[in-house]
């Protein structure tokens, strides 16, 4: 990718860039100064990767994108219903049109596969849901090796009365950096419900802008990141209430161990005239080490009347009294810690519509906890 | 002697709280400890259970002949020490049943016993619930989350019944209980009285001791046991208050 295109992703003005990348300044500078070749779109994936992306409940509805390019070889779309149309403007630009929703989720997989030296990919994906309700799983995986830097822009358009349940999961090694810029437009009475789980990455930037443009439209963004080593995740939510009687619910949790770094920036704007809006934001974070850091910044701007809004953000540590209580009943310290971390994160997955997906996220979460301790 | 506390001195946040406490407990015995607010009763319970932040400056605690203070809290639990907390904490997001099974199996694993499967575990749980007249609805909730004060205390006793400790320390388990609940708790304790098991019951109220009849009553003031006797000591305390002990001390009676 050339410098101009990257500039565009980082923010349109210098001031905007400065502000928005405040907490990830060094991480992004290092990336922009590094030399990357174009990542090979025809990379062969390891058996382990293939196993990780093979969710039994999405077989036949799996679109695999390797280093930014649609992969005919690894995609498996034999059971795609006729109401879902894929359109490739190029290998790196995919458009998915869903004329009528269906019960089974569509699975989009982005694989970052390393080359011999540092490499970079970019992709763009557009999803349009015209009627009914649909499920979408966006999964990012990566293989360890030389550095990979991927950028993904995506647009989601939800027609009147539609419901999209999206699950966004990333589990990538610390040689992989991902910049994701998503923009969702929600029409009249439509619902956008996203659940995120992010693990790992040298730098993961997750930007999600949600425009509630239709009357009575609503969105929820629930998410968790669990970090260790020198992993760095920077979440930027930008929810805009632009119509009457709209609702948003933002519920994020973060856990950082060792020398990792987490950032949560949650902005909710209720525009003038968007009366009757209801905006709730909750962000809680857990620091597991003195060398880890999490910054949280909730920003609520209200220009309308009759708005119900609340927000709360905290950064804390495991409660020693609770840990002692568990240990006094016989649960070893490390397992007690895991139990509390998992409980803290699981709140995000509560009430997920798709049970198998919740179980999948839960297993991914447990796999991220210090393994030697196990779950009690 | 199951528990032998000898001349124990403990500092908390730089301040000496226990100032030379000596107490011996044999298997099968029930000891009541009474004493004014701030005397150090809960501090003693916490030190025995292994809570961090307590500096032992002098003295020793032996449990079944070994140094109790050298063990981690979870090891003490598996060795049979149980503390029913004065203020049980709420643990959001951790299911009560899951927690109990994890605790019981962790203890069994430590002791080299086979872990219980879900069927065996639930059978044991149902039995204990029945004895304590606790609704199984509490099992489906998060540990102590949203429990009333009395429910939390009963949950402590329920945990004790399930974990079957050798040495149970009950820290004001009767406080905040209505009279019926207090009787249930006392029944629960009495059902567990056993020649192999000992209890230390910390309380402010003589009334509990009508139901859990102790072998010994100790009065703790300012970090020490200043008076020991049988059940009648609790009655005298009820009548005269702690000032009476202080006066007796001054008069050199004790
Ligand atoms: N972490 C702590 N930091 C400072 N002081 C403490 C701490 N823990 C206990 N103390 C002090 O130690 C003293 C004894 O407290 P403790 O809780 O053991 O009393 P108690 O006999 O159980 O009282 P009560 O009958 O009110 O429960 C009190 O003065 C208390 O303030
Ligand atoms: Mg106390």
């Amino acid at each position: 990718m050339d410098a101009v295109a990257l500039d565009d992703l980082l923010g349109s003005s210098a001031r905007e860039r400065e502000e928005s990348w405040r907490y990830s300044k060094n991480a992004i500078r290092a990336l922009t100064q590094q030399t990357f070749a174009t990542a090979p779109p025809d990379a062969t994936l390891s058996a382990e990767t293939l196993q990780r992306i093979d969710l039994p409940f999405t077989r036949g509805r799996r679109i695999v994108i390797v280093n930014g390019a649609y992969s005919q070889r690894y995609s498996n779309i034999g059971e795609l219903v006729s109401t879902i149309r894929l359109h490739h403007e190029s290998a790196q630009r995919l458009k998915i049109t869903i004329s009528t929703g269906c019960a089974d989720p569509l699975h989009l997989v982005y694989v970052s596969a390393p080359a011999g030296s540092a490499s970079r990919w970019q992709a763009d994906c557009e999803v349009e849901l015209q009627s009914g309700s649909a499920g979408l799983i966006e999964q990012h995986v990566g293989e360890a090796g030389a550095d990979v830097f991927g950028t993904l822009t995506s647009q989601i358009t939800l027609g009147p009365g539609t419901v999209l349940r999206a699950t966004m999961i990333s589990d990538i090694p610390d040689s992989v950096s991902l910049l994701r810029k998503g923009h969702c437009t929600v029409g009249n009475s439509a619902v956008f419900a996203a659940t995120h789980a992010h693990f790992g990455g040298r730098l993961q930037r997750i930007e999600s802008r949600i425009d509630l443009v239709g009357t009575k439209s609503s969105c929820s963004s629930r998410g968790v990141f669990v970090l260790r080593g020198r992993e760095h995740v920077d979440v930027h939510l930008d929810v805009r209430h632009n119509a009457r009687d709209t609702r948003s619910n933002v519920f994020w949790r973060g856990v950082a161990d060792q020398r990792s770094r987490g950032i949560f920036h949650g902005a909710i704007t209720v525009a003038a005239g968007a009366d009757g809006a209801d905006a709730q934001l909750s962000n809680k974070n857990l620091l597991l080490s003195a060398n880890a850091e999490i910054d949280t910044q909730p920003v609520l701007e209200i220009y309308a009347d009759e708005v119900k809004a609340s927000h709360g953000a905290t950064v804390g540590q495991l409660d020693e009294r609770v840990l002692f209580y568990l240990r006094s009943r016989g649960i070893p310290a490390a397992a007690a810690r895991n139990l509390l971390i998992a409980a803290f994160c699981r709140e995000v997955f509560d009430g997920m519509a798709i049970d198998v997906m919740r179980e999948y996220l839960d297993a991914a979460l447990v796999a991220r906890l210090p393994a030697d301790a196990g779950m009690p | 002697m199951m528990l032998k506390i000898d001349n124990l001195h403990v500092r908390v946040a730089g301040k000496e709280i226990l100032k030379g406490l000596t107490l011996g407990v044999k298997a099968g015995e029930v000891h009541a400890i009474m004493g004014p607010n701030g005397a150090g009763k809960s501090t003693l319970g916490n030190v025995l259970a292994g809570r961090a932040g307590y500096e032992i400056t002098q003295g020793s605690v032996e449990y079944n002949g070994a140094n109790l203070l050298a063990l981690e809290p979870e090891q003490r639990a598996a060795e049979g020490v149980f503390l029913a907390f004065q203020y049980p904490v709420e643990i959001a997001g951790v299911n009560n049943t899951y927690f109990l099974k994890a605790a019981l199996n962790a203890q069994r694993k430590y002791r080299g016993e086979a872990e219980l499967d879900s069927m065996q575990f639930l059978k044991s749980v149902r039995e204990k619930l029945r004895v304590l007249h606790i609704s199984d609805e509490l099992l489906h909730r998060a540990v102590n989350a949203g429990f009333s004060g009395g429910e939390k205390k009963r949950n402590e006793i329920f945990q004790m019944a399930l974990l079957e400790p050798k040495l149970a320390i009950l820290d004001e388990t009767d406080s905040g209980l209505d009279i019926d609940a207090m009787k249930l708790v006392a029944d629960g304790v009495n059902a567990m009285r056993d020649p192999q098991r000992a209890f230390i019951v910390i309380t402010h109220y003589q009334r509990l001791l009508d139901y859990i009849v102790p072998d010994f009553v100790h009065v703790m003031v300012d970090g020490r046991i200043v008076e020991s006797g049988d059940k009648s000591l609790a009655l005298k305390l009820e009548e005269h208050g702690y000032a009476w002990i202080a006066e007796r001390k001054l008069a050199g009676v004790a």
Side-chain angles (χ1 to χ4, degrees), chain B residues 236-254:
Chain B
K236 285 185 208 131
L237 276 175
E238 179 95 343
E239 201 176 325
H240 305 291
Y242 293 114
W244 166 71
I245 298 270
E247 282 160 22
R248 268 162 55 97
K249 292 273 151 201
L250 281 177
V253 180

Side-chain angles (χ1 to χ4, degrees), chain A residues 15-323:
Chain A
R15 205 173 133 253
E16 193 186 316
R17 273 205 293 277
E18 175 69 23
E19 180 57 28
S20 153
W21 286 88
R22 204 163 111 194
Y23 295 106
S24 301
K25 213 186 303 176
N26 294 338
I28 190 67
R29 187 183 299 132
L31 267 182
T32 52
Q33 288 171 355
Q34 196 175 343
T35 309
F36 292 95
T38 301
D42 53 356
T44 297
L45 304 183
S46 71
E48 196 209 327
T49 299
L50 294 178
Q51 198 195 328
R52 278 177 61 199
I53 65 175
D54 180 26
L55 312 187
F57 48 94
T58 67
R59 279 184 197 140
R61 295 184 308 281
R62 183 175 312 137
I63 296 167
V64 179
I65 290 145
V66 177
N67 287 337
Y70 178 80
S71 166
Q72 195 123 32
R73 178 172 167 201
Y74 293 115
S75 293
N76 174 352
I77 50 173
E79 284 174 36
L80 220 51
V81 291
S82 62
T83 53
I84 299 182
R85 268 194 9 253
L86 306 184
H87 174 72
H88 305 274
E89 286 177 10
S90 72
Q92 283 80 15
R93 278 188 70 83
L94 178 65
K95 183 166 172 141
I96 303 169
T97 311
I98 308 174
S99 56
T100 312
C102 74
D104 302 315
L106 184 67
H107 188 185
L108 272 172
V109 181
Y110 292 88
V111 185
S112 293
S117 62
S119 62
R120 176 190 278 185
W121 59 262
Q122 77 182 108
D124 183 83
C125 179
E126 210 174 306
V127 177
E128 185 185 353
L129 178 59
Q130 294 170 336
S131 73
S133 58
L136 182 72
I137 298 165
E138 183 182 307
Q139 180 184 20
H140 292 263
V141 297
E143 295 178 354
D147 290 348
V148 181
F149 176 20
T151 49
L152 169 68
T153 48
S154 59
Q155 300 80 42
I156 297 176
T157 309
L158 302 184
T162 59
V163 177
L164 182 69
R165 297 186 198 287
T167 307
M168 316 285 194
I169 177 165
S170 65
D171 196 344
I172 53 177
D174 60 8
S175 52
V176 174
S177 302
L178 283 181
L179 253 60
R180 296 156 58 187
K181 203 173 180 123
H183 186 179
C184 180
T185 308
V186 190
N188 285 345
S189 301
V191 178
F192 178 53
T195 306
H196 293 252
H198 299 296
F199 311 109
R202 167 177 158 189
L203 170 63
Q204 272 212 72
R205 166 88 163 190
I206 297 138
E207 287 182 35
S208 170
R209 173 167 158 188
I210 303 171
D211 284 2
L212 298 171
V213 295
T215 308
K216 293 200 167 122
S217 60
S218 70
C219 71
S220 70
S221 172
R222 301 175 76 86
V224 62
F225 55 73
V226 181
L227 311 176
R228 63 189 175 200
R230 289 181 167 274
E231 294 164 354
H232 185 131
V233 168
D234 184 344
V235 176
H236 269 239
L237 300 183
D238 180 1
V239 178
R240 304 187 184 189
H241 291 255
N242 286 327
R244 293 185 70 97
D245 303 321
T246 47
R247 289 157 46 124
S248 66
N249 190 325
V250 173
F251 187 97
W252 275 74
R253 297 290 179 258
V255 179
D257 197 2
Q258 296 167 340
R259 310 187 69 85
S260 63
R261 189 87 167 77
I263 296 111
F264 176 86
H265 180 96
I268 300 179
T269 313
V270 182
D275 299 348
D278 182 337
Q280 312 292 331
L281 180 150
S282 156
N283 175 237
K284 287 188 193 166
N285 300 283
L286 207 50
L287 284 179
L288 300 179
S289 130
N291 295 318
E293 190 178 332
I294 298 185
D295 292 284
T296 172
Q297 253 187 327
V299 184
L300 203 53
E301 286 183 39
I302 299 174
Y303 303 101
D305 302 322
E306 293 172 62
V307 172
K308 234 172 79 185
S310 77
H311 68 292
T314 60
V315 180
Q317 285 154 25
L318 285 177
D319 187 335
E320 285 300 327
R321 290 172 321 138
V322 175
L323 266 177

